[in-house]
Amino acid sequence: MQAIPFDPLDYPHPSRRTVVYARNGMTCAGNPTAASVGLQVLLKGGNAVDAAVAMAAVMPLAEPTGNGLGSDAFVMVWKDGKLYGLNGSGPSPKAASIEALRAKGCEKIPAYGVLASDVPGAVGAWAAVHERFGQLQFADVLAPAIEYAENGFPVSPTVADLWGRAVNLYSGMRSDAQFEPWFTHFAPQNRAPESGEIFRSPDIAATLRRIAETKGEAFYRGEIAEKIAAFFAAHGGLLTADDLAAWRPEWVEPLSVNYRGYDVWEMPPNGHGITVLMALKTLSGMQLGAPLTAETMHQQIEAMKLAMSDTAEHVTEPSAMRVTTDELLSDEYAAKRRALIGEQALLPKAGDPRGSSTVYFCTADRDGMMVSFIQSNYRGFGSGIVIPGTGISMNDRMENFRFDPAHANCLEGGKRPYHTIIPGFLSKEGKAVGPFGIMGGFMQPQAHVQVVENLIDWHLNPQQALDSPRWQWIGGKKIDIEADVPPAEVLKLIRRGHEVTVKADLTAMGRGQMILRAPDGTLCGATEKRSDGQIMSY
């Protein structure tokens, strides 16, 4: 069933900027330095993968509030009519278990510290995707990031704000010696850098140089790995050199559903991209009204709640899942879930959706290759662990496990957790439409659904689709909603039983980018009003 016609010229929420067009190549990122690095690599003869890896390498420096050299990553690459997926998420240490954490006095999985980190997969993902698809030498691709780390870059406004929040957070943990290297590296003057202030990191430069020279081997099976393992051992952590040495990224087949003529692609579990596809299948059988009306938002919210409740229960390391992706995406199951949606807000059995930080970026080149790339520590700077002398800030992905031995996603050694970061991609009739992604922990699948429907149901352009006001389901019947949603529609949602909080802080509502390719090859790029986003093209 198709949505009612909607004229985007009548849309009541104008964007702050217009879309950007190009013919030859484009890079989109939430950070101007990263977008610039991608364009530099394209202009040197690199392809879309070269540009994306260059951007990934500079992001731990330029936007450390969302990722680090100790991050995980997921990548989708469109090349010659096929979409490839790379899972760059690492497993828990082999010694990790619920019993092991309880023996250390834990009653839940810590959000911070050495017990929060799993094997970081991002560096391995850079090397693997470049090995398969890159055009330039790996060292040349990482050279711009090394130069920025050595000579510095001006900190952008949103990053400066988030950096300041992190200083306040970690200050409360500073009595624990394991967090002191974070201050040494990221707050050497006991404060965050201000907007426009130059930040340099000789440590990150040195680490990137070794990664470039060894194509990532030193990070997992060399001197960098030894430094990581030594720090964890010294502070009672579980991650070892053997854990690092044993890990490899995994090539996977992306999943898709057809939504009103477009194929929407997401990565398979252990990520929760399948949540997007489940919600879209539910909504595809419903008649949607105009955007940002209470009726439409109610349908979207209820479909999203049902999908997120399911994935919170079932998604984990694929070998540990107790249902299949085919079962979760079946027409029969979508019909059953759709039948539950009525006029009033549901109270489904669900997990605890929480906010966090990530970086997403995308690239396209003149030969048709397109890349959707996402990289994250999970909570901002991550676990608060920085390996001395390296600039490596470690993830806190272990927190996405369940501290319940009966749950499919329970913490076990050598297992990958339920993962929140999800790159997206659109195609139509076997041809690429383009990459998209929105950062923000458990907001990500919710934003994917809203942006896809903005594009497909209401024919908004990419900038309008990203800038449009958003809602976020928090748990139970609780909904956060942006202040520019019409107040009358907010009141109608409340009458339907939703517990609505109007939010002034937009950083938790996701920050995304998108590049779409027209049938004639013209590229159209957009980036968020909620970030310091930049589009570079030629």
Side-chain angles (χ1 to χ4, degrees):
M1 299 174 67
Q2 295 297 317
I4 64 170
F6 174 73
D7 184 354
L9 293 178
D10 292 334
Y11 193 56
H13 300 283
S15 297
R16 295 182 182 181
R17 62 187 297 172
T18 58
V19 293
V20 174
Y21 294 107
R23 287 290 296 174
N24 297 312
M26 182 174 286
T27 63
C28 292
N31 182 277
T33 301
S36 171
V37 163
L39 180 62
Q40 291 174 45
V41 169
L42 288 178
L43 292 174
K44 290 178 181 176
N47 61 21
V49 163
D50 293 318
V53 172
M55 294 162 73
V58 81
M59 274 295 195
L61 175 80
E63 198 165 340
T65 52
N67 76 134
L69 291 171
S71 284
D72 286 339
F74 291 82
V75 191
M76 289 198 284
V77 178
W78 180 277
K79 179 176 170 57
D80 298 332
K82 178 174 172 56
L83 189 64
Y84 300 84
L86 181 65
N87 183 327
S89 67
S92 60
K94 286 187 171 58
S97 68
I98 294 172
E99 293 74 20
L101 290 191
R102 282 181 174 153
K104 290 180 176 289
C106 300
E107 293 300 322
K108 61 180 181 179
I109 301 169
Y112 303 102
V114 291
L115 297 177
S117 298
D118 62 19
V119 174
V123 170
W126 304 349
V129 73
H130 180 268
E131 177 69 23
R132 186 165 185 174
F133 295 113
Q135 193 162 286
L136 300 179
Q137 293 296 313
F138 191 62
D140 293 334
V141 170
L142 266 59
I146 295 169
E147 191 275 333
Y148 276 114
E150 288 180 332
N151 297 317
F153 76 100
V155 175
S156 61
T158 299
V159 171
D161 175 56
L162 295 173
W163 207 320
R165 299 185 200 185
V167 170
N168 292 335
L169 171 68
Y170 293 132
S171 292
M173 311 176 197
R174 197 167 186 178
S175 59
D176 189 334
Q178 65 179 319
F179 298 109
E180 189 58 36
W182 186 90
F183 285 91
T184 301
H185 186 266
F186 286 112
Q189 300 179 58
N190 293 315
R191 63 169 180 83
E194 297 177 358
S195 177
E197 186 175 349
I198 302 298
F199 179 74
R200 299 176 178 84
S201 175
D203 288 348
I204 288 180
T207 299
L208 286 173
R209 189 171 287 107
R210 286 299 294 145
I211 290 170
E213 292 166 351
T214 65
K215 296 185 178 179
E217 281 296 301
F219 192 94
Y220 295 98
R221 290 162 283 277
E223 64 269 31
I224 299 173
E226 293 170 2
K227 291 179 181 179
I228 296 171
F231 186 86
F232 274 73
H235 293 276
L238 301 174
L239 188 66
T240 68
D242 288 342
D243 292 319
L244 293 162
W247 182 80
R248 300 291 189 285
E250 179 187 10
W251 290 99
V252 297
E253 291 291 330
L255 302 174
S256 71
V257 299
N258 190 272
Y259 184 73
R260 309 196 202 280
Y262 288 81
D263 291 315
V264 183
W265 297 87
E266 299 281 350
M267 294 287 284
N270 56 312
H272 68 167
I274 193 172
T275 312
V276 179
L277 307 183
M278 293 169 67
L280 288 174
K281 279 189 74 76
T282 299
L283 289 162
S284 66
M286 304 180 75
Q287 179 75 39
L288 299 180
L292 296 177
T293 61
E295 180 180 5
T296 295
M297 289 187 288
H298 172 74
Q299 292 172 311
Q300 293 174 316
I301 290 165
E302 296 304 293
M304 198 74 243
K305 285 159 64 173
L306 292 167
M308 291 190 74
S309 298
D310 282 333
T311 52
E313 182 66 22
H314 299 301
V315 166
T316 184
E317 172 72 52
S319 62
M321 285 180 59
R322 298 167 186 169
V323 299
T324 67
T325 56
D326 287 343
E327 289 170 331
L328 291 171
L329 291 174
S330 71
D331 292 337
E332 295 78 11
Y333 190 62
K336 288 180 181 178
R337 300 303 264 170
R338 189 182 305 121
L340 297 175
I341 299 175
E343 294 298 314
Q344 291 294 306
L346 287 169
L347 187 61
K349 181 181 178 182
D352 178 22
R354 293 154 289 176
S356 62
S357 295
T358 301
V359 293
Y360 173 82
F361 43 96
C362 48
T363 62
D365 65 29
R366 66 196 313 168
D367 297 319
M369 182 183 286
M370 306 182 88
V371 179
S372 187
F373 204 122
I374 199 159
Q375 185 166 283
S376 174
N377 268 347
Y378 184 45
R379 289 182 180 271
F381 280 89
S383 61
I385 298 302
V386 171
I387 309 304
T390 69
I392 298 170
S393 59
M394 295 293 293
N395 68 75
D396 53 343
R397 280 290 164 190
M398 287 252 291
E399 194 188 359
N400 283 152
F401 282 112
R402 294 293 190 92
F403 208 66
D404 175 3
H407 198 279
N409 188 41
C410 67
L411 172 61
E412 295 175 307
K415 180 180 179 181
R416 292 176 299 187
Y418 176 109
H419 221 289
T420 60
I421 59 174
I422 51 173
F425 202 91
L426 294 172
S427 66
K428 187 174 186 180
E429 298 175 352
K431 296 182 180 179
V433 177
F436 70 96
I438 298 95
M439 306 164 263
F442 289 88
M443 178 60 189
Q444 290 182 58
Q446 304 187 61
H448 277 216
V449 168
Q450 292 172 71
V451 168
V452 165
E453 293 198 325
N454 287 341
L455 288 169
I456 296 173
D457 286 301
W458 300 298
H459 313 296
L460 302 185
N461 69 42
Q463 192 64 51
Q464 292 171 323
L466 287 171
D467 283 353
S468 179
R470 293 183 188 145
W471 50 262
Q472 178 177 187
W473 177 56
I474 301 302
K477 295 184 180 182
K478 295 179 180 178
I479 302 296
D480 285 350
I481 202 161
E482 291 186 325
D484 43 0
V485 172
E489 302 305 321
V490 173
L491 181 59
K492 292 175 187 177
L493 284 174
I494 293 171
R495 288 172 178 165
R496 286 176 178 264
H498 298 282
E499 299 169 8
V500 179
T501 299
V502 177
K503 303 290 285 188
D505 182 359
L506 303 185
T507 58
M509 288 296 187
R511 292 169 290 145
Q513 282 73 237
M514 183 187 310
I515 300 174
L516 302 185
R517 189 186 296 276
D520 68 356
T522 299
L523 299 171
C524 179
T527 185
E528 284 262 0
K529 68 180 183 182
R530 301 168 186 86
S531 73
D532 303 320
Q534 185 67 52
I535 305 161
M536 297 284 186
S537 63
Y538 76 108

